[in-house]
Structure formats: structure tokens, C-alpha cells
Amino acid sequence: MAAAVDDELYREIILDHYRHPRHRGLVDPADATVHGHNPLCGDEVDVSLRIRLGHIEAIGFEGQGCSISLASASMMASLVAGEPVAQARTVLHQLKQMLVEGTAAEDLDALGDLEALQGVRRYASRVKCAVLPWNALESGLAEAGGIHEERAS
Ligand code: ZN
């Protein structure tokens, strides 16, 4: 059954990111460092990032929590590092469409490995785990964007 094979593959991708996190460690200097907390599960994630010329020049995270929250943070950092801020916002939007609005992953073209998180939407409490680092990214982009707008004016 294709669905079972997909589930197994997705579980492996999530566990791989959990066991071998990418972009672990905070960025220095950072334009924004945002703390995310999911009291339902006890997840704590800090996301820091640096923006240069409209791109995410560097992004990193630290934290402790369940495999879903930390794998999601690792996948997020891998996917948006070096990318234009606009692309990061697109990924962020699509991730929320998939997990919160229930849009099918195959209709979303910017997700890459994040498709592995689609099974999470069956469990409302785990959606908060998966979205936690993304909410921190969203706040971080807003904060860093504000800094750059101030400098420009
Ligand atoms: Zn969690």
C-alpha cells in the first residue's frame, strides 16, 4: 500500500532530522532571535537568523522538545537557509496551508522534505509541535525586516 510506504519514508525523514539536526546552534550576529514555547508538549525552540540583501544569510536553532518540533526546526532551517525572504515566506505559508488548512501536499510546490510532516495533521496537538519553529521564524522575519526598514529610512 502506497500510503504505508509513504508513512514509513516520512517517519525516517523526521527521525533523521531529529537525530542529525541541521543548522543547530544560534547565529551570531543575529538580526532576530525568537523564543518559541509550546506548553501543551513542553517544546522550547529558539530560532535566530540574519538577513542580508533580502536573503536569509544564516539561520540556526536551539531547543529541546519532541521529535516533531525539533525535526521541523531542522527541516525549516535546511529549506530556507540562503533563500530569499520572499521564498521563506512562501514555504511558511504553504506549511501552514498543509498542516492547518489541510491542503494536500502535492498541491504545494515549495515544501520539499516538509511533506514528511503531513501525517502530523491527523493529530491536532502535534500540529502545534510542527508549527512552533515556523511561528518563531515568522516573528523573526518580521523583527529583522523592521530593523532593515528602520536602517533604510
Ligand atoms: Zn512537541
Side-chain angles (χ1 to χ4, degrees), residues 38 40-43 65-70 125-126 128-130 132:
N38 173 16
L40 285 176
C41 181
D43 308 314
C66 66
S67 57
I68 298 291
S69 62
L70 296 179
S125 61
R126 306 318 297 269
K128 290 191 166 50
C129 303
L132 178 68

Side-chain angles (χ1 to χ4, degrees), residues 15-104:
L15 281 177
D16 182 56
H17 276 274
Y18 176 60
R19 289 179 182 141
H20 310 285
R22 281 66 141 181
H23 299 272
R24 184 123 206 186
L26 298 182
V27 168
D28 182 28
D31 289 326
T33 301
V34 177
H35 179 71
H37 176 218
N38 173 16
L40 285 176
C41 181
D43 308 314
E44 305 267 355
V45 177
D46 290 300
V47 174
S48 70
L49 54 90
R50 187 166 66 242
I51 311 282
R52 289 293 178 272
L53 301 173
H55 286 64
I56 298 180
E57 184 182 67
I59 180 168
F61 75 96
E62 272 182 0
Q64 50 191 358
C66 66
S67 57
I68 298 291
S69 62
L70 296 179
S72 183
S74 173
M75 283 191 257
M76 175 183 84
S78 305
L79 208 54
V80 304
E83 296 293 330
V85 169
Q87 171 65 13
R89 287 190 194 282
T90 298
V91 177
L92 172 66
H93 180 64
Q94 292 196 2
L95 188 273
K96 289 192 173 181
Q97 279 186 295
M98 178 177 79
L99 288 182
V100 180
E101 295 166 29
T103 305

